[in-house]
């Protein structure tokens, strides 16, 4: 008996033409993403070719590393949109932020409105070294303040890999999960792909993001996915339509 192996799809072929990307670093000179407007233009055009039709770019806000203020981000977004329009790019291009959950973050959301992906959905992240000591207190207080936390790339937090129950605990604490798309092609390593696959198979992701910083990230969309089943991934990709304007 012959056994036929179905070829795994290429990641970019799974991105629909009307996709909304909710996590990227396209604003120039503001964090570790695009260094200048030339980078912004090139990356935006490349992502459009993949199928992205709307952008919610999310510069880092990290104390003592990327001390971006809301005003700086919105000003940079406004000037970037004008420059994109001069280059015939008129797709929706909005800005939120990717907030590191630390003590400064608590002070920030308790005293100022956050830059959200949409409505009260806010993109948050942790250090890759360890979770914040007061993680669940921060998540609780954030939700009391009226926000819904969307945790960026949970599959990349190595300290959770040997204790899958921590992911379940985060979900019970009200976190939505956002998958980094490049995690499924092995860009960050096989261990991260494995956890991403497990989280996908258990239906624990709600949204996806490109998390594009530079050209190598865009190029990786041409790689094949390394998942047991692509169906859960397609379903989560489709969920990003929630963020469509209008």
């Amino acid at each position: 008996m012959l056994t036929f192996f179905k070829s795994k799809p290429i990641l970019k072929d799974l991105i629909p033409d009307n996709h909304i990307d909710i996590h990227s670093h396209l604003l120039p000179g503001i964090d570790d993403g695009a260094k200048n407007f030339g980078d912004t233009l090139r990356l935006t055009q490349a992502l459009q070719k993949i199928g992205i039709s709307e952008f919610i770019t999310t510069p880092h806000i990290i104390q003592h590393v990327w001390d971006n203020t809301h005003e700086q981000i919105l000003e940079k977004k406004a000037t970037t949109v004008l420059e994109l329009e001069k280059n015939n790019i008129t797709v929706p291009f909005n800005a939120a932020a990717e907030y590191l959950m630390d003590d400064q973050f608590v002070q920030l959301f308790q005293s100022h409105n956050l830059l959200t992906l949409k409505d009260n959905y806010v993109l948050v992240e942790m250090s890759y070294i360890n979770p914040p000591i007061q993680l669940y207190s921060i998540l609780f207080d954030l939700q009391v303040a009226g926000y819904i936390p969307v945790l960026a790339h949970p599959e990349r937090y190595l300290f959770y890999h040997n204790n899958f129950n921590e992911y379940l605990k985060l979900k019970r604490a009200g976190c939505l999960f956002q998958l980094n798309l490049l995690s499924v092609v092995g860009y960050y390593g096989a261990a991260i792909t494995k956890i991403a696959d497990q989280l996908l198979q258990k239906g624990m992701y709600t949204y996806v993001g490109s998390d594009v910083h530079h050209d190598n990230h865009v190029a990786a969309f041409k790689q094949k996915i390394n998942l047991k089943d692509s169906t859960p991934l397609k379903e989560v990709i489709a969920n990003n339509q929630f963020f469509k304007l209008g």
Side-chain angles (χ1 to χ4, degrees):
M1 179 185 294
L2 293 175
T3 302
F4 295 92
F5 293 93
K6 186 176 180 180
S7 178
K8 294 182 182 294
I10 294 172
L11 177 58
K12 70 180 182 63
D13 293 340
L14 298 180
I15 308 299
D17 289 338
N18 61 346
H19 185 65
I20 299 103
D21 187 24
I22 67 168
H23 184 177
S24 65
H25 298 268
L26 301 181
L27 290 183
I30 202 168
D31 64 3
D32 56 345
K35 292 181 175 59
N36 50 53
F37 179 73
D39 287 349
T40 300
L41 179 61
R42 186 177 64 258
L43 293 171
T44 302
Q45 289 172 329
L47 290 169
Q48 282 186 292
K49 290 178 181 177
I50 291 171
I52 295 170
S53 63
E54 295 185 21
F55 296 85
I56 305 171
T57 193
T58 50
H60 291 289
I61 295 183
I62 301 176
Q63 188 177 19
H64 306 312
V65 180
W66 306 112
D67 286 309
N68 290 310
T69 66
H70 295 177
E71 293 75 19
Q72 289 169 333
I73 290 172
L74 292 177
E75 181 179 351
K76 181 69 72 170
K77 188 265 290 193
T79 58
T80 300
V81 166
L82 289 175
E83 290 301 313
L84 288 171
E85 289 175 349
K86 291 178 184 178
N87 287 273
N88 300 312
I89 295 179
T90 58
V91 298
F93 191 96
N94 297 304
E98 182 180 11
Y99 295 93
L100 181 71
M101 290 188 285
D102 57 13
D103 291 340
Q104 183 197 40
F105 177 54
V106 175
Q107 297 171 12
L108 189 61
F109 72 69
Q110 289 180 340
S111 60
H112 296 81
N113 292 331
L114 299 181
L115 294 176
T116 61
L117 300 171
K118 179 180 179 178
D119 301 333
N120 56 343
Y121 290 76
V122 61
L123 188 67
V124 295
E125 67 172 337
M126 306 183 210
S127 163
Y128 290 117
I129 299 172
N130 51 258
I133 295 173
Q134 301 296 328
L135 173 60
Y136 290 98
S137 175
I138 293 171
L139 291 172
F140 177 81
D141 290 343
L142 181 63
Q143 290 169 89
V144 169
Y147 295 99
I148 298 172
V150 179
L151 181 62
H153 41 63
E155 70 280 356
R156 294 184 64 188
Y157 303 121
L158 302 182
F159 44 80
Y160 286 148
H161 283 198
N162 292 324
N163 191 357
F164 200 85
N165 284 335
E166 287 298 319
Y167 289 117
L168 300 173
K169 188 176 178 181
L170 283 166
K171 294 291 288 185
R172 288 195 295 268
C175 265
L176 303 181
F177 285 2
Q178 174 254 300
L179 168 70
N180 266 19
L181 285 165
L182 296 188
S183 293
V184 306
V185 300
Y187 185 89
Y188 308 106
I192 289 170
T193 302
K194 180 180 178 181
I195 292 295
D197 199 7
Q198 290 178 18
L199 291 169
L200 277 166
Q201 300 307 319
K202 291 182 180 296
M204 295 178 70
Y205 287 111
T206 305
Y207 306 115
V208 302
S210 74
D211 201 4
V212 160
H213 287 65
H214 45 68
D215 294 319
N216 289 342
H217 283 161
V218 176
F221 275 83
K222 297 179 181 179
Q223 298 178 24
K224 291 183 178 182
I225 68 169
N226 189 19
L227 303 174
K228 296 176 182 177
D229 179 9
S230 63
T231 301
L233 175 60
K234 293 175 183 176
E235 292 172 351
V236 179
I237 289 172
N239 288 345
N240 276 40
Q241 288 302 304
F242 169 76
F243 294 96
K244 187 173 182 63
L245 289 177

